[in-house]
Amino acid sequence: MATRDEMANSFGAEAAAYEEGRPGYPAEAVAWLLEPAGAHPRVVDIGAGTGKLTRVVAEITAEHGTDVIAVEPDAAMLDALRNALQGIQTLVGTAEHLTLPDESADAAVLGQAWHWVDPVAASAEIGRVLRPGGVLGLVWNIRDESVPWVARLTEITKGSHAEQLLADGGPEVAAPFGELASRTWHWARPITRAALMAMVHSRSYVITATPEERARIDRELEVLFDEIGATGDATVSLPYVTYAFRAVKPEAGGAAR
């Protein structure tokens, strides 16, 4: 089985599948993450991938002329982001190592990414980049396994580090941030068989699996997708729960909140 680092750095090999198969984020959840940042925030999307979260940040803040910067360590993922989102500033970097000046951003957001970082080092580095009063926002889309066929999908493809983190009580942050506030949103996405398969192929466990394991996964998915009517161009409803967390960097002399 692949190591955690190998899995964390595997996504570029399936950048096209990631872009096709992964969902975006509910605008209400992203707006809630950014709420403490003010009317014209400078937002850094860390671990931006192909820009799933970046584009929602840009869309909901466009009328305010907000500055959005996408930070991503994987060159293939960053290329996909640049192709999808013309005009967005991009930087190579990680949550632990950001090539941005001190106190230069109003918000830092991470979508499907905090479970890959060192929370102490990442909190310190993001705290350096955020101005006092700036907000750290963390968000995950997790498939709703209360629906039986979705639970079967997870059984076939195995669970993820993100799912495990949330099941274990959620993310942790460190200084300069204090307790995380949280909210959840329930929603569903219409999705075709091809997009379902792309979503599965974009998961780190599947990317790093042996050819034999990938073949098993594909065989079992073909049976499942036939059973639920995900055939041809037909769509099925894939339910999600979006988990969002935020913490504010304290003002000088203030307490973290």
Side-chain angles (χ1 to χ4, degrees), residues 82-104:
R82 292 182 182 122
N83 289 334
L85 298 173
Q86 304 285 322
I88 295 291
Q89 182 182 352
T90 59
L91 296 172
V92 175
T94 66
E96 298 88 349
H97 300 285
L98 298 168
T99 56
L100 290 165
D102 294 356
E103 298 186 4
S104 60

Side-chain angles (χ1 to χ4, degrees), residues 35-120:
E35 188 177 54
H40 306 280
R42 189 181 198 214
V43 183
V44 183
D45 180 11
I46 302 168
T50 64
K52 293 291 182 176
L53 180 54
T54 314
R55 74 192 67 193
V56 184
V57 172
E59 287 168 1
I60 68 174
T61 60
E63 63 185 275
H64 305 302
T66 296
D67 185 12
V68 185
I69 302 168
V71 177
E72 167 61 36
D74 189 295
M77 297 290 269
L78 209 52
D79 283 345
L81 186 153
R82 292 182 182 122
N83 289 334
L85 298 173
Q86 304 285 322
I88 295 291
Q89 182 182 352
T90 59
L91 296 172
V92 175
T94 66
E96 298 88 349
H97 300 285
L98 298 168
T99 56
L100 290 165
D102 294 356
E103 298 186 4
S104 60
D106 302 294
V109 295
L110 294 91
Q112 312 291 128
W114 192 255
H115 54 284
W116 295 120
V117 312
D118 176 333
V120 175

